[in-house]
Amino acid sequence: MALSFPLNNAPFGLLALANALKAPSSTLALSPVPVETSTATTLVTKDSVKAVKITGVVPIARFLVRAHDSSNTFYPESSDVANYTAQDQLLDIVRQTIATPKHLTTLATAADKALAATGSFLLSKEQPQLCDYAVWGMITAYTKSHSLLSNLKDLEKFMAWMARMDERAECKEAISTMDKALEEAKETLAKEAAAAAAERALSSAVIEVPTIEGSDPVVDPLDEFKNVMAFQLSKLVDVDIKILYDALEAPRAAENGHIALSVPRLRLKGKDPIAVAAEIVDKFPVSDYVTLAKADGPFVNFFLNHVKLAQSLFKRIYETKERWGGNNTGAGKKVIVEFSSPNIAKPFHAGHLRSTIIGSFVRNILDANGYDTTSMNYLGDWGKQYGLLAIGFERYGSEEKLLADPIKHLFDVYVQINVDAKENEAVHDEARAYFKKMEDGDEAALKNWSRFRNLSIVKYKDIYARLNIAFDVYSGESQVTDGMERALKLLHEKKLLTESDGALIVDLTKYKLGICVVQKKDGTTLYITRDIGAALERYEKYGFEHMYYIVASQQDLHLKQLFKILELLGFDWAKKVTHLNFGMVGGMSTRKGTVVFLEDILEETRDSMHEVMKKNEHKYAQIENPLEVADNIGIAAIMIQDASARRVKNYDFDWKRMFSFEGDTGPYLQYAHARLCSIERKTEMEVNPNADLTALDDERACADLITMIARYPQIVRETTRSFEPVNIVGYAMKLSHNVSQALETMYVMGAEKNKAEARLFMYWSARITLGNAMRLLNLKPQERM
């Protein structure tokens, strides 16, 4: 049976277990592999019927026990519940990861608790059991190349147990056999690496980076690698180089390499994708770009030369900094993004918040792709309800309260007058008459309305600034002027209008869009009428390449009617308007259960996060402006919870999950960024753009982090297809996870100077990338928290 494992995590425990089971010496054919190739231990059995691939130290150990222990003494399924549970607890820790300081501490602590109960081996029997070998093997693999952790020194029983295991004959034999295999493997791998380097040097001298449509190696350093790979693949399979470039993408699982080719995507008629993948791997040339190609069924997984990638990647990031990841795809193209659009005198509710978050994200991602964008807030500031509001203010209004908080006071007035209107129909007649005066241009009526609107906008701007969002234009239904009249005239000319009970309608039933009323029988206009006029005026003013309406899915029919009418009016730009809809938010209220204004939600999130921060007195004392930081973290919690849901999906507002620093939340992202900032502070080193990046580690975590940083420009480009904030959220979370994995073993402080400089440049590049991704999501990246 062939046992392959990474050099930094040799499975001593498996070998000792095989020795204890007295399995034939040929049971495990050892095959050490470079760390960058694999992080997992894998056994391929030599069954007479079919080879079976088993991955993971614990599953392999259980397989060996079942195959060679008929008495089932190493992992007794019939043992008592406490014994069985204790074994599984330890085995689960071993199964989770290769040895790292963090996991060794957890493992040793759990083992020590078991020792305290048994006083002998980890579990109750004198004969070591499966978890004894698994735990011993994990510790041995780690301490072969590291000094034993200082925080394990007080665990006397655990250390006594380790000493007893070390003295067992099967363990001594395992160490001897494995050490010999590792030495031989290192010599062999060193020779292979030297040969591969020589081959890459020879290959790189003749490789030219081809030009491929849609690729931009200057902006996106990863494109240089993909272009070369596509060119090399085009010599092996009869497929257009552009198709090959498009088929090279991130693998489904991180352990599968850095770039994957799905052979079925190439649509090779009459050819077995698995056979083609194997043939590609057999013939693909190792080069200065790709160090290894592996077949996995119909996929080809490529491992990149991460040092070469880092050399061009980090230079690009250093040159562009906050502009890193962007491109000029949309240069010279005007785009309008209409979003948020609250109604004056009504609460800024969850639907408006989603529109605000998603709309601003759409604007940011278009900006990052080089478009000339105009963000527009189309306020609900016209209609009969303002007649009601004006009457209500005459009865219940207060100048003092209006100036103090116009949105809140106008809402209270609106609620009160609506109570009156329910009891007395005449109130509605007054409101209609008042609005008619507004539409007719009555100065006194318009003066009151103008005050309400202007005071509300001032308040809105404060709220938007807190969310790190700004608008280029505050428009509104009231701002539509002659465009609406011209639109009505065109509707007449195109014979699209029909009179119905005194009202004017557009019959869209043959398009399955129902009846659309554009003017009431009293001559007043409706929302759809003003939207038609607004679209006409916007195109005349901006000549946009595209206009996006960020509006809830509840308005799907309304927008479909609008777009169909624009098309029927003969506007050739009607195809340039798009509705980006979104699902609804459930349960958005304070934790007391009352529906509130957005400002109340923001206040509560800030205060809650402030309480969490104060629990760590040491860190809290280092923050100059804790309330502002708490506010930014709270806003990140709200925004990431929203952006983590697919745009068209509904989701429930969850206070408990939102504030968690565990899992993929806003506070976790802020913590990841602050952690990267702390590395730069604590090392007290300047980032050296000329650092020797050949000093970067060969560890897989290093290669994975560099490749993840390099994927950012492609994510920015691709997100314009779907305008899904979750794409950027998902990327930022994966990048943060890669950083965390790298930090477990690749320290800056205490490392040799050239290694420290290279690692610092890598973590700095990760911080710039994470910060840019967060800003796309309207977050203010925190340096301390």
Side-chain angles (χ1 to χ4, degrees):
M1 292 183 284
L3 179 71
S4 63
F5 53 88
L7 284 170
N8 69 336
N9 195 27
F12 290 91
L14 287 178
L15 207 54
L17 178 62
N19 294 336
L21 289 165
K22 294 183 172 51
S25 58
S26 62
T27 296
L28 299 179
L30 304 178
S31 177
V33 296
V35 178
E36 63 269 21
T37 302
S38 177
T39 58
T41 299
T42 301
L43 178 74
V44 178
T45 66
K46 293 183 177 178
D47 190 278
S48 59
V49 180
K50 181 182 179 182
V52 178
K53 183 178 179 182
I54 307 170
T55 300
V57 171
V58 173
I60 295 170
R62 286 175 168 161
F63 169 81
L64 292 174
V65 169
R66 288 195 301 272
H68 299 284
D69 180 28
S70 58
S71 61
N72 200 23
T73 58
F74 287 89
Y75 191 69
E77 303 290 343
S78 59
S79 60
D80 64 85
V81 174
N83 187 321
Y84 185 84
T85 303
Q87 286 207 58
D88 271 352
Q89 179 189 13
L90 294 166
L91 289 171
D92 281 341
I93 297 172
V94 175
R95 185 188 313 145
Q96 286 169 7
T97 182
I98 62 173
T100 64
K102 176 182 176 182
H103 290 89
L104 281 174
T105 303
T106 306
L107 178 69
T109 303
D112 189 51
K113 289 179 181 178
L115 281 164
T118 62
S120 182
F121 281 82
L122 284 180
L123 301 177
S124 58
K125 295 189 176 183
E126 183 65 19
Q127 166 66 40
Q129 295 183 310
L130 181 58
C131 76
D132 293 85
Y133 289 111
V135 173
W136 173 82
M138 184 180 183
I139 298 293
T140 303
Y142 185 81
T143 55
K144 278 287 177 180
S145 55
H146 299 75
S147 58
L148 197 60
L149 300 178
S150 59
N151 55 359
L152 303 185
K153 64 185 179 182
D154 297 328
L155 303 177
E156 296 178 3
K157 290 182 180 179
F158 179 72
M159 297 308 297
W161 168 82
M162 273 295 293
R164 292 188 65 183
M165 289 294 291
D166 285 339
E167 290 301 312
R168 294 192 67 86
E170 65 268 26
C171 294
K172 287 183 177 181
E173 184 182 350
I175 291 174
S176 175
T177 303
M178 188 64 76
D179 283 351
K180 183 179 178 181
L182 289 173
E183 283 303 315
E184 291 176 352
K186 286 177 182 176
E187 290 181 14
T188 302
L189 291 170
K191 291 178 182 177
E192 291 176 355
E199 187 178 347
R200 287 198 301 273
L202 183 62
S203 301
S204 62
V206 296
I207 291 178
E208 291 186 9
V209 180
T211 300
I212 300 177
E213 182 186 353
S215 169
D216 191 346
V218 175
V219 170
D220 183 353
L222 193 58
D223 268 350
E224 179 182 339
F225 284 68
K226 291 174 65 177
N227 286 11
V228 169
M229 292 165 66
F231 174 72
Q232 291 172 328
L233 285 166
S234 69
K235 294 182 177 181
L236 305 179
V237 291
D238 186 18
V239 176
D240 183 76
I241 192 171
K242 169 63 173 170
I243 295 174
L244 288 163
Y245 167 83
D246 290 336
L248 293 169
E249 53 194 11
R252 294 179 181 178
E255 61 268 18
N256 289 341
H258 304 125
I259 292 182
L261 171 69
S262 173
V263 177
R265 280 193 62 181
L266 304 182
R267 301 184 181 278
L268 300 169
K269 293 182 179 180
K271 293 188 177 182
D272 178 10
I274 295 177
V276 172
E279 184 180 353
I280 288 174
V281 168
D282 185 53
K283 296 180 179 179
F284 191 86
V286 174
S287 70
D288 200 31
Y289 290 88
V290 177
T291 60
L292 178 69
K294 292 173 64 179
D296 184 8
F299 296 92
V300 181
N301 298 317
F302 300 94
F303 293 80
L304 304 184
N305 180 347
H306 62 279
V307 172
K308 180 176 179 62
L309 176 58
Q311 288 168 337
S312 56
L313 174 66
F314 296 172
K315 179 183 178 182
R316 174 70 183 171
I317 296 173
Y318 193 81
E319 290 171 347
T320 54
K321 297 183 177 66
E322 277 71 29
R323 293 182 291 107
W324 155 243
N327 60 75
N328 294 316
T329 302
K333 297 176 181 177
K334 185 70 180 178
V335 175
I336 294 175
V337 185
E338 178 201 299
F339 61 98
S340 195
S341 307
N343 296 305
I344 290 175
K346 291 184 180 179
F348 192 114
H349 59 66
H352 296 127
L353 178 61
R354 284 216 83 186
S355 176
T356 304
I357 293 173
I358 295 170
S360 187
F361 170 77
V362 170
R363 189 262 177 93
N364 293 343
I365 203 72
L366 287 167
D367 279 346
N369 281 276
Y371 289 89
D372 176 12
T373 61
T374 295
S375 57
M376 184 175 292
N377 198 336
Y378 187 61
L379 299 171
D381 62 355
W382 201 246
K384 192 201 86 174
Q385 67 267 33
Y386 294 99
L388 269 176
L389 184 62
I391 295 167
F393 194 78
E394 290 175 358
R395 297 185 184 183
Y396 305 111
S398 160
E399 282 294 320
E400 184 180 350
K401 291 179 180 179
L402 178 68
L403 295 175
D405 192 341
I407 297 175
K408 179 71 167 60
H409 182 54
L410 291 175
F411 173 67
D412 290 340
V413 167
Y414 190 69
V415 170
Q416 286 178 291
I417 195 62
N418 269 280
V419 172
D420 292 352
K422 284 182 181 179
E423 297 173 354
N424 184 357
E425 183 62 31
V427 174
H428 286 291
D429 294 332
E430 289 182 59
R432 280 188 282 270
Y434 195 98
F435 178 56
K436 187 66 170 60
K437 285 198 296 182
M438 290 169 61
E439 286 215 305
D440 291 341
D442 182 89
E443 288 188 13
L446 288 174
K447 184 178 180 181
N448 266 338
W449 161 83
S450 182
R451 286 187 69 233
F452 297 159
R453 182 182 190 276
N454 293 340
L455 288 170
S456 295
I457 289 175
V458 170
K459 184 66 176 179
Y460 282 135
K461 286 182 176 179
D462 290 341
I463 297 172
Y464 290 127
R466 192 169 172 183
L467 293 171
N468 202 28
I469 292 169
F471 288 90
D472 298 313
V473 177
Y474 277 86
S475 182
E477 298 175 73
S478 64
Q479 306 302 294
V480 182
T481 56
D482 67 322
M484 183 170 56
E485 294 177 6
R486 284 187 289 132
L488 282 170
K489 183 179 178 182
L490 278 171
L491 286 168
H492 277 292
E493 291 175 357
K494 296 283 184 179
K495 299 185 184 320
L496 294 173
L497 291 179
T498 304
E499 188 174 330
S500 177
D501 295 328
L504 295 178
I505 66 167
V506 178
D507 187 352
L508 300 174
T509 52
K510 67 179 179 180
Y511 305 107
K512 298 182 180 179
L513 295 176
I515 300 292
C516 183
V517 181
V518 296
Q519 183 174 292
K520 293 181 181 179
K521 61 182 179 181
D522 63 359
T524 55
T525 56
L526 290 97
Y527 198 74
I528 188 73
T529 326
R530 296 186 282 275
D531 275 357
I532 298 168
L536 174 60
E537 290 181 358
R538 290 176 196 177
Y539 187 75
E540 290 174 342
K541 181 175 181 179
Y542 297 102
F544 53 77
E545 180 71 21
H546 216 96
M547 178 163 62
Y548 296 96
Y549 293 83
I550 318 301
V551 185
S553 55
Q554 289 177 321
Q555 297 296 320
D556 282 355
L557 176 60
H558 173 83
L559 272 299
K560 286 177 181 177
Q561 289 178 333
L562 171 63
F563 298 167
K564 176 54 70 174
I565 290 173
L566 293 176
E567 178 189 326
L568 294 173
L569 285 173
F571 297 132
D572 57 1
W573 49 266
K575 58 182 178 294
K576 296 182 177 182
V577 293
T578 299
H579 176 205
L580 293 178
N581 61 0
F582 54 84
M584 303 309 294
V585 185
M588 188 167 184
S589 60
T590 63
R591 280 181 282 188
K592 295 178 182 177
T594 55
V595 177
V596 292
F597 289 85
L598 172 64
E599 196 168 19
D600 296 324
I601 294 285
L602 296 181
E603 295 294 319
E604 189 161 351
T605 54
R606 182 198 64 193
D607 294 345
S608 297
M609 192 52 63
H610 191 219
E611 291 301 314
V612 172
M613 289 168 55
K614 286 195 290 188
K615 291 178 181 178
N616 190 325
E617 295 180 8
H618 175 69
K619 287 187 176 180
Y620 185 80
Q622 297 177 337
I623 300 174
E624 293 182 3
N625 47 352
L627 268 179
E628 181 181 337
V629 171
D631 196 36
N632 288 331
I633 298 172
I635 288 169
I638 293 173
M639 289 188 164
I640 293 301
Q641 180 170 222
D642 189 285
S644 295
R646 284 280 168 193
R647 181 164 48 80
V648 296
K649 297 288 186 182
N650 299 334
Y651 80 91
D652 290 325
F653 196 76
D654 185 343
W655 282 97
K656 184 177 180 181
R657 177 184 173 278
M658 190 172 70
F659 290 127
S660 175
F661 283 83
E662 301 293 329
D664 293 347
T665 64
Y668 171 76
L669 271 190
Q670 291 286 19
Y671 169 75
H673 187 272
R675 188 183 186 191
L676 285 167
C677 291
S678 73
I679 294 172
E680 297 171 38
R681 285 196 303 270
K682 291 176 181 177
T683 57
E684 298 182 347
M685 293 170 58
E686 293 289 332
V687 172
N688 180 7
N690 299 311
D692 178 12
L693 298 183
T694 61
L696 285 170
D697 306 65
D698 287 334
E699 290 191 31
R700 181 66 185 277
C702 179
D704 288 351
L705 175 55
I706 291 168
T707 309
M708 184 58 70
I709 295 171
R711 286 197 185 118
Y712 182 59
Q714 182 179 349
I715 297 291
V716 172
R717 289 200 307 266
E718 291 177 347
T719 301
T720 56
R721 299 174 189 168
S722 64
F723 293 107
E724 284 282 3
V726 71
N727 290 357
I728 301 298
V729 173
Y731 171 80
M733 294 299 175
K734 288 176 183 176
L735 176 61
S736 300
H737 298 162
N738 282 129
V739 168
S740 182
Q741 289 165 6
L743 285 171
E744 287 189 341
T745 54
M746 288 182 283
Y747 306 107
V748 176
M749 294 181 68
E752 297 174 2
K753 183 180 178 183
N754 64 335
K755 192 177 285 285
E757 285 188 339
R759 289 177 177 177
L760 181 62
F761 200 5
M762 177 177 69
Y763 291 130
W764 177 88
S765 298
R767 176 179 68 78
I768 293 295
T769 305
L770 180 59
N772 289 357
M774 292 172 71
R775 279 182 279 271
L776 283 180
L777 296 163
N778 295 300
L779 306 185
K780 295 178 181 177
Q782 298 301 295
E783 296 185 4
R784 290 180 184 268
M785 56 182 287

